[in-house]
Amino acid sequence: MLNVVTVNAGNYQGQGVAYTNVLFDSVRRNLPEGYEGRFIVFTDDPEGYDPGITVKPLPFAGLSGWWNKLALFKAGLFDEGDRVVYFDLSAVITGRLDKLLDYRGDFAILRDFYRPDGLQSSVMAWEAGKCEDIWYSYVEAGLPEDHPGGDQWWIEQTQLATATRLQDVLPGMFQSFKLSVGIPTVASVVIFHGYPKPHQVVTGWVPMVWKVGGMARAELDQVCNT
């Protein structure tokens, strides 16, 4: 079973349900018809989601913000052997996702856009049951939330030396909004790390893509060509 997952904790950006619905719609319209899998949001805000979304409570009560991502690695959250692909709510889908969701390798995560030796947790992929040390080492450390690097700082503590960098196995698929100019002509996922967030960008290509019923790759390519 493929699980495409995200986390809406504390009503992300004051409109977490809307962000989730846009992400779900964006993923769905950039996959072949009938592609098997389910889209799950883990949340403390269970109302208002698209009926196609599986809504589940946060995996561990009491964590704040991005720290909730670490609990996605708890044992038993998914069936052992399931594939899991995680997206931050602020990720904007601009192209086909088949290759990413078909990925079957070891734990994979983005290389940080500013720190080439670091990790960036906006997109991750793993096999359920194989990365539980991320969560349990965090529990053993007392669930610290005082590091400015957040969840990806902790993931670096256990996975830095061994994690597959998604940019290496899927070159060209990921792009930083801050570090790029103009319409993404190749990338399928644009990462909005820091600010602005997608809802704050009101001109250019972002409002045409980041909405329910927004442009998929073929339509975006037409805009690029124009």
Side-chain angles (χ1 to χ4, degrees):
M1 168 71 77
L2 169 69
N3 303 277
V4 179
V5 304
T6 192
V7 173
N8 175 27
N11 191 18
Y12 181 75
Q13 295 295 313
Q15 45 186 307
V17 173
Y19 262 78
T20 305
N21 287 338
V22 169
L23 180 61
F24 168 67
D25 183 71
S26 301
V27 169
R28 181 170 56 180
R29 69 176 180 259
N30 283 288
L31 288 171
E33 188 71 27
Y35 194 95
E36 293 186 0
R38 59 179 178 170
F39 185 103
I40 304 172
V41 60
F42 292 93
T43 184
D44 51 6
D45 182 11
E47 302 298 328
Y49 295 97
D50 186 288
I53 297 173
T54 299
V55 181
K56 294 191 174 187
L58 294 172
F60 187 85
L63 297 177
S64 58
W66 51 25
W67 299 102
N68 285 281
K69 289 195 273 184
L70 296 176
L72 295 175
F73 298 97
K74 282 180 61 180
L77 198 61
F78 308 100
D79 291 339
E80 190 164 344
D82 273 10
R83 297 303 304 180
V84 185
V85 177
Y86 168 84
F87 290 101
D88 270 359
L89 283 176
S90 59
V92 175
I93 310 302
T94 56
R96 294 289 292 241
L97 294 172
D98 313 39
K99 291 182 180 179
L100 173 59
L101 301 192
D102 287 343
Y103 173 75
R104 294 294 184 271
D106 295 332
F107 175 73
I109 187 171
L110 292 173
R111 176 182 293 107
D112 192 272
F113 294 104
Y114 288 121
R115 302 176 300 119
D117 294 330
L119 304 177
Q120 218 279 356
S121 63
S122 293
V123 183
M124 299 182 284
W126 69 96
E127 182 179 321
K130 289 194 173 179
C131 301
E132 295 167 3
D133 57 319
I134 295 175
W135 170 247
Y136 290 110
S137 62
Y138 183 63
V139 173
E140 290 174 2
L143 307 173
E145 293 191 4
D146 57 352
H147 195 283
D151 63 284
Q152 59 197 30
W153 160 73
W154 191 264
I155 293 171
E156 288 179 357
Q157 307 309 300
T158 60
Q159 305 295 318
L160 186 61
T162 59
T164 297
R165 276 50 168 184
L166 283 166
Q167 292 98 323
D168 293 343
V169 293
L170 298 167
M173 179 169 279
F174 307 96
Q175 181 173 305
S176 161
F177 180 75
K178 286 184 176 182
L179 300 180
S180 60
V181 178
I183 299 171
T185 57
V186 176
S188 292
V189 185
V190 178
I191 304 303
F192 281 70
H193 47 105
Y195 288 91
K197 296 302 184 188
H199 76 277
Q200 297 169 323
V201 181
V202 296
T203 60
W205 66 269
V206 176
M208 296 188 289
V209 174
W210 190 79
K211 60 182 178 180
V212 173
M215 288 184 177
R217 180 77 259 170
E219 297 165 301
L220 192 58
D221 285 344
Q222 289 181 354
V223 174
C224 293
N225 293 334
T226 302

